[in-house]
Amino acid sequence: MLRSLYIRDYALIEELEVEFDSGLNIITGETGAGKSILLGAMKLLLGDRASTEAVRGGAKKAVVEGVFDNADEGRLPAVLEEHEIEPSEGGLLVVRREVSGRGSRAFINDTPATLDVLREVSASTIDLHGQHEHQSLLRTETHVELLDNFGGLGGLVETYRKAYRAAAKLVTERRDLVRREAELRKQKELYGFQIEEIDAAGLKEGEADDLEAERRILENAERLYEATAELYGQISDADDALYDRAVLVRNQLQDLARIDSAFDDTLADVRSAEIALKEATQFLQDYNARIEFNPERLDEIRERLGELDYLERKYGGTVEAVLAYRAEIGQTYDLAKDFEGAIARLDGRIADAQETLSKAAYRLSQKRHETAERIEEAIGVELATLGMPHARFAVQFGFQDDDSGWVSLPAGAKTHRVVAFPAGADLVEFYLSANLGEDPKPLAKVASGGEVSRIMLALKAVLAKSERLPILVFDEIDTGISGPIARRAGESMHRLGQFHQIIAITHLPQIASLGDVHFEVEKTVVDGRTRTHIRRLDEAERAEAVAQLLAGASVSPAALQSARELIEEGRAAE
């Protein structure tokens, strides 16, 4: 719910803060008092464009901030995470707009946000209903989603969407492949030559490193031979050989260790050195014996390294990169050789995917038709309580025929192909016949303000339990109705308040008397400047406000008594 609304330096509002309650929040005020200004400020939180002229004269910027409760429920957490917006503590959502002469800025939980992101966030939170704006139920594109919500068809919709994404991916893959056909045919000859050249070389991973190591040894064979022979002599074969001296040191330490055990560790170290020298001697002797002077092998290695260097410079920098390039072009070459076969195999996969999609679309469509029957009946009953006993609400279904459509649906003994949309194959639109004997017409074209009001309330009352928008704002949605019908509309709003937070701007006493809380918008002049305020009314003030709606500015005792009776009747009906 919208916990609080703060406005500063916006139009005639110098500064105000209002805290709303759950249930039905009523806002009244004289014509011109500033109700539309309050509503305009709220629209800024929905992502409406801001006019720099809205900044109060003499102020640098206007600020509008809304604090919402329970922002950790519904779709909001996913939307915030998608746009990398950190959640606030306590499940709060803080939305702020700042408007200055340089433009406007938006913030969500103190994170800068674009208007598109702001609209997406607000679309998961609040629905503002004026006569012709922000009326989600009058937008044809929302009807199918509302129907699915009412019927609890989310699982079937997701199954369809998964099949739709799979089919779309394959169709895109085929389109890209066909687009590449000419390019593939050009590449085929070049890639064929390159593959033959690389394969002829018989490359192996790590080969270059192994050859480089062998080349270094062969090029330095003489130095290696002389050095190992000299080292062998110094360690084991010279008159003053290291090994002989180590043996002498070891013998002396043994004598000392017999006298004092403190020499034991040193003796062990020397014995280890003696063993190491013996092993080094053996290694040097064996290595020296294996040294090969082979100019022919050296020439072979140099030639092979030259060949590898040529391929590396041409295809990738390393033998491994050349092999990776060979694998890559090999796939393209195989595809170019068998282009028709690849298309045929892809067509088979597409046919299977579209068959799966068609089954999902048919199951979803059947459930939607079943749901439509229930919602038609429920809304008809609700409209009757709102003074439209002959009204007939209907859900119209259709398809968009297309010979190349992805979905195939049964039509009698035959099937016909239709366009697949991301949410199903159905085209869904709400229709209404307001009077007996009239054919139903598209809901979006119903022109009467009173009918729009009642239809809106009826739809919201029926969809309340399945609708995900927790906050509904009604801007004089009661226009065109009065008397008993107005009372019924107010009762419907009050019932709707059990499932949603309702903020209703109204001029009808029958509706105002049913509010759970009542606010009054007032306009005053202070120091020659006009200011708009809003205040929460107590019981006595509330009766006075309802009486003014009944009788005008001059409130008689009779009008005041009638107002109290209206309020009491509303409480008794709860």
Side-chain angles (χ1 to χ4, degrees):
M1 58 174 271
L2 177 59
R3 173 186 286 186
S4 65
L5 178 68
Y6 173 79
I7 306 172
R8 188 182 74 234
D9 293 327
Y10 180 78
L12 297 180
I13 299 174
E14 183 176 32
E15 186 174 33
L16 67 79
E17 183 170 12
V18 55
E19 294 185 358
F20 295 103
D21 283 4
S22 58
L24 178 56
N25 294 259
I26 294 294
I27 299 176
T28 60
E30 296 180 1
T31 301
K35 299 189 297 296
S36 61
I37 295 175
L38 185 68
L39 196 66
M42 295 179 70
K43 289 179 182 178
L44 289 180
L45 300 183
L46 300 181
D48 272 20
R49 293 287 178 182
S51 171
T52 56
E53 296 178 358
V55 180
R56 181 174 168 81
K60 293 183 178 180
K61 67 179 179 180
V63 177
V64 180
E65 182 176 276
V67 179
F68 299 84
D69 270 337
N70 302 320
D72 51 359
E73 299 178 1
R75 293 182 61 248
L76 262 179
V79 174
L80 296 178
E81 182 179 0
E82 179 183 352
H83 296 290
E84 299 181 346
I85 298 173
E86 291 293 329
S88 293
E89 294 183 4
L92 297 180
L93 174 73
V94 182
V95 180
R96 186 171 79 254
R97 285 290 296 276
E98 297 180 357
V99 183
S100 66
R102 294 178 303 219
S104 76
R105 298 189 300 168
F107 300 87
I108 302 174
N109 291 346
D110 288 328
T111 300
T114 65
L115 289 187
D116 286 339
V117 172
L118 184 59
R119 293 186 189 109
E120 185 176 353
V121 169
S122 64
S124 303
T125 309
I126 188 168
D127 198 8
L128 194 155
H129 293 261
Q131 280 295 298
H132 297 292
E133 61 183 349
H134 288 288
Q135 296 186 21
S136 62
L137 294 174
L138 297 186
R139 296 199 302 270
T140 304
E141 63 270 20
T142 69
H143 293 180
V144 67
E145 183 178 357
L146 291 169
L147 185 68
D148 292 339
N149 286 345
F150 180 81
L153 306 182
L156 287 175
V157 173
E158 183 53 36
T159 298
Y160 171 87
R161 283 178 174 159
K162 183 177 180 181
Y164 178 87
R165 290 191 293 267
K169 181 179 179 181
L170 291 173
V171 169
T172 300
E173 186 177 338
R174 188 189 192 282
R175 187 185 304 119
D176 292 342
L177 184 57
V178 171
R179 191 182 297 121
R180 290 180 57 203
E181 180 179 9
E183 177 188 354
L184 287 171
R185 296 193 186 282
K186 291 179 182 179
Q187 291 174 330
K188 179 181 176 183
E189 182 176 350
L190 172 63
Y191 286 175
F193 169 79
Q194 293 178 340
I195 289 171
E196 184 177 350
E197 183 177 45
I198 294 172
D199 288 350
L203 302 180
K204 297 178 182 178
E205 290 188 8
E207 180 183 7
D209 292 339
D210 293 341
L211 290 174
E212 282 289 352
E214 187 177 357
R215 179 186 62 79
R216 285 195 302 272
I217 293 172
L218 289 174
E219 286 179 341
N220 294 278
E222 185 174 348
R223 180 184 173 188
L224 289 170
Y225 182 83
E226 292 175 353
T228 52
E230 181 181 353
L231 287 170
Y232 173 79
Q234 291 177 0
I235 295 174
S236 180
D237 201 33
D239 292 339
D240 196 21
L242 288 175
Y243 183 77
D244 293 340
R245 294 171 64 188
V247 171
L248 178 62
V249 171
R250 182 248 299 163
N251 291 335
Q252 291 177 342
L253 285 171
Q254 281 179 338
D255 292 340
L256 294 175
R258 292 189 189 99
I259 300 171
D260 189 346
S261 62
F263 289 96
D264 288 347
D265 290 343
T266 303
L267 175 61
D269 291 339
V270 171
R271 280 174 174 168
S272 296
E274 180 187 351
I275 293 171
L277 287 171
K278 188 173 184 180
E279 291 177 349
T281 300
Q282 187 62 50
F283 168 76
L284 290 169
Q285 187 176 34
D286 293 343
Y287 188 94
N288 183 268
R290 293 196 310 271
I291 291 177
E292 180 181 7
F293 296 91
N294 192 340
E296 294 81 7
R297 174 57 182 164
L298 183 58
D299 288 342
E300 289 178 5
I301 291 174
R302 287 170 176 166
E303 183 178 350
R304 178 59 172 173
L305 286 173
E307 182 181 8
L308 296 182
D309 181 65
Y310 166 76
L311 292 174
E312 288 171 352
R313 283 187 287 106
K314 187 174 181 180
Y315 295 119
T318 64
V319 168
E320 288 72 23
V322 175
L323 291 172
Y325 177 74
R326 163 62 178 86
E328 179 184 341
I329 64 174
Q331 293 179 352
T332 304
Y333 181 74
D334 293 341
L335 180 61
K337 283 200 309 180
D338 187 26
F339 183 81
E340 289 77 11
I343 289 290
R345 288 189 293 274
L346 198 50
D347 284 340
R349 293 172 62 196
I350 290 173
D352 291 341
Q354 290 182 352
E355 182 179 356
T356 300
L357 181 66
S358 297
K359 291 178 180 178
Y362 182 64
R363 287 195 298 270
L364 179 58
S365 184
Q366 284 183 311
K367 288 296 182 181
R368 282 173 172 168
H369 279 78
E370 295 174 8
T371 301
E373 293 179 4
R374 292 190 286 117
I375 197 173
E376 286 172 350
E377 181 180 356
I379 290 179
V381 171
E382 190 68 26
L383 287 174
T385 67
L386 292 172
M388 298 177 67
H390 302 297
R392 183 157 57 94
F393 180 84
V395 181
Q396 298 286 347
F397 287 87
F399 301 102
Q400 185 175 326
D401 290 321
D402 185 348
D403 291 339
S404 59
W406 296 356
V407 169
S408 179
L409 296 175
K414 298 181 179 180
T415 60
H416 64 139
R417 302 196 72 84
V418 300
V419 174
F421 299 103
D426 301 289
L427 295 173
V428 176
E429 185 171 4
F430 295 161
Y431 274 57
L432 180 85
S433 170
N435 300 297
L436 190 64
E438 290 184 359
D439 292 331
K441 297 178 181 179
L443 181 63
K445 296 181 180 180
V446 175
S448 165
E451 290 174 350
V452 170
S453 301
R454 283 178 280 178
I455 295 162
M456 187 68 67
L457 289 173
L459 284 165
K460 279 299 179 185
V462 170
L463 296 170
K465 294 182 180 180
S466 59
E467 181 69 276
R468 292 175 297 181
L469 296 172
I471 306 166
L472 302 176
V473 179
F474 292 128
D475 174 24
E476 296 190 358
I477 198 174
D478 46 32
T479 298
I481 60 176
S482 59
I485 301 304
R487 187 66 175 185
R488 293 176 187 177
E491 291 169 351
S492 181
M493 282 188 190
H494 193 270
R495 288 194 301 271
L496 196 56
Q498 298 175 16
F499 306 101
H500 301 264
Q501 181 191 41
I502 310 295
I503 300 172
I505 298 174
T506 183
H507 64 282
L508 295 179
Q510 296 91 337
I511 292 178
S513 63
L514 290 164
D516 295 303
V517 60
H518 193 141
F519 298 91
E520 183 81 0
V521 176
E522 301 172 326
K523 186 164 62 176
T524 60
V525 177
V526 179
D527 296 331
R529 295 200 65 179
T530 302
R531 292 176 171 85
T532 291
H533 305 275
I534 186 172
R535 62 190 181 90
R536 183 171 180 151
L537 304 183
D538 59 26
E539 283 299 308
E541 292 170 328
R542 181 183 178 193
E544 182 82 14
V546 173
Q548 287 180 350
L549 293 175
L550 281 167
S554 178
V555 177
S556 65
L560 192 58
Q561 180 59 32
S562 296
R564 292 193 183 104
E565 290 174 359
L566 275 176
I567 293 171
E568 288 303 320
E569 287 174 9
R571 286 175 176 159
E574 292 182 3

